[in-house]
Amino acid sequence: MKRTMILLLSMLMLLLAACGKENEQQALLPGSPVEAAFTLEPKELVAGDTVTFSVKVTQDGQPVDDAKEVKFEWWKDGQEKHETIPASLQGDGVYTAQQTISEPGSYFVYYHVTARDFHNMQKTPFTVNSKAGETPGSTPSAPQADAGQAHDHGAAGHANNGEAVDYHFSPADNIQVATPAALTVHLMKDNKALDKATVKFEFWRGTDQKHSFLDATETAAGQYEGNVQFPTAGDYTVKVHVEKGDIHDHKDFSLSIK
C-alpha cells in the first residue's frame, strides 16, 4: 500500500511538472500578429478641410485598446520634413487624429502602431483638391500643420537602385549616458516590410572622427534592433545602413543624450 502511494505521488509530481513545462513553453510562444486597418475621412478632400486619420487595431479579431503608441505621419509629395501627430483612442480598438491641410496637392500618410511587441506601419497616398474657383498652386507654399511636430524620420533614404527605402527610427525614451539603450528601426520598401536585410547602426558625437558600429538584429519582419551604450552626453548622429541584394541604403538621424 505504501509503495502504491509513493508511486502515485511520483506519477502526480511528474504530471504536474510536465504540465508546468508545457504552460511555460506556451507562454513563451509569440502572440498572434497585431492587425491594423486604416481609413481617411472625408475621402474627397478640399484645401482647408479637416481630415480625420483613423486606424482600427485588432489581434485575433479582438480590438486592441492598450496600444503603446499610435500616431500618423503625413507629408506633401516631395517634402523632406514630415508632420507627426499622436492618435487618441476612441474605443473598440479605433484610434484617430485630425489635421487641417490648407494647400492642395498630392500627399502621403503613414500610420504607426506599436502594440503588444509589434510595430505596424503602412503608407497611403491621398489628394487634397483646390477650392472651387481656385487654380492649383494659388494657395500658400507650405501645408499648414495645426498640430504635431516636424520630423524627418520617415523620409526616404538613398537607395542605389533608385527605389526608396522608408524608415521609422525609434530610439528608447530618455537615453542616459553609459546605460544600454535600444535603438529600433522599421524598414519598408514598396509599402512592404523590408525583411532579411543586413542592418547596421553607425553613431558618433558632434564632429568626432571616431565612429562606432553595431550590427542590428531582425526581431520582426522589417524591424531591426540593437543595444547601444553612449559613452558621453551630447548630440549624436545615428546613421542606419541597409543592405539587401542590390539595395545599399543609409539615412542619418539626430539623437540627444543626457
Side-chain angles (χ1 to χ4, degrees):
M1 183 69 177
K2 194 171 184 180
R3 285 185 179 180
T4 303
M5 289 295 295
I6 293 173
L7 182 60
L8 287 172
L9 285 172
S10 299
M11 291 176 65
L12 180 61
M13 290 177 66
L14 287 172
L15 182 61
L16 290 173
C19 290
K21 187 174 182 180
E22 183 179 351
N23 290 335
E24 183 181 353
Q25 288 175 341
Q26 289 179 350
L28 292 174
L29 289 174
S32 301
V34 169
E35 306 289 343
F38 174 78
T39 57
L40 179 151
E41 294 291 342
K43 298 193 184 305
E44 296 293 331
L45 281 166
V46 174
D49 281 351
T50 297
V51 58
T52 299
F53 301 126
S54 177
V55 63
K56 181 163 186 175
V57 185
T58 58
Q59 187 179 44
D60 286 329
Q62 299 301 311
V64 173
D65 289 341
D66 60 352
K68 181 180 179 182
E69 183 180 52
V70 180
K71 57 188 178 182
F72 299 100
E73 174 190 351
W74 66 276
W75 68 100
K76 189 176 183 182
D77 190 15
Q79 273 194 324
E80 278 294 320
K81 285 198 173 182
H82 298 189
E83 302 291 334
T84 300
I85 52 177
S88 58
L89 175 65
Q90 303 303 310
D92 198 28
V94 176
Y95 298 79
T96 67
Q98 292 187 320
Q99 180 68 56
T100 301
I101 303 177
S102 61
E103 184 180 1
S106 298
Y107 289 81
F108 296 96
V109 60
Y110 257 122
Y111 65 73
H112 294 282
V113 175
T114 303
R116 301 178 183 178
D117 295 327
F118 289 92
H119 177 78
N120 290 35
M121 59 189 285
Q122 191 78 20
K123 183 166 67 175
T124 301
F126 66 98
T127 301
V128 177
N129 298 308
S130 300
K131 292 181 180 179
E134 289 185 351
T135 56
S138 63
T139 51
S141 59
Q144 179 65 40
D146 296 333
Q149 183 179 3
H151 292 276
D152 66 355
H153 63 251
H158 310 282
N160 289 349
N161 62 353
E163 296 292 338
V165 173
D166 291 314
Y167 295 74
H168 175 65
F169 180 62
S170 180
D173 296 330
N174 302 318
I175 298 177
Q176 302 295 319
V177 172
T179 303
L183 299 182
T184 303
V185 64
H186 195 109
L187 304 175
M188 301 279 287
K189 187 173 183 295
D190 300 329
N191 221 12
K192 296 179 181 178
L194 181 59
D195 61 354
K196 300 178 182 178
T198 300
V199 177
K200 290 185 179 183
F201 296 112
E202 175 188 2
F203 58 97
W204 66 95
R205 189 185 67 167
T207 58
D208 288 351
Q209 296 297 312
K210 183 180 179 181
H211 293 199
S212 300
F213 291 84
L214 174 71
D215 292 330
T217 301
E218 187 171 15
T219 56
Q223 182 170 302
Y224 302 84
E225 296 181 4
N227 284 317
V228 175
Q229 195 164 306
F230 295 94
T232 57
D235 293 327
Y236 283 78
T237 299
V238 178
K239 185 188 292 287
V240 181
H241 296 269
V242 180
E243 293 187 12
K244 181 181 178 181
D246 60 350
I247 299 172
H248 299 275
D249 198 33
H250 60 83
K251 184 167 177 59
D252 291 352
F253 302 90
S254 297
L255 196 57
S256 182
I257 308 300
K258 297 179 181 180

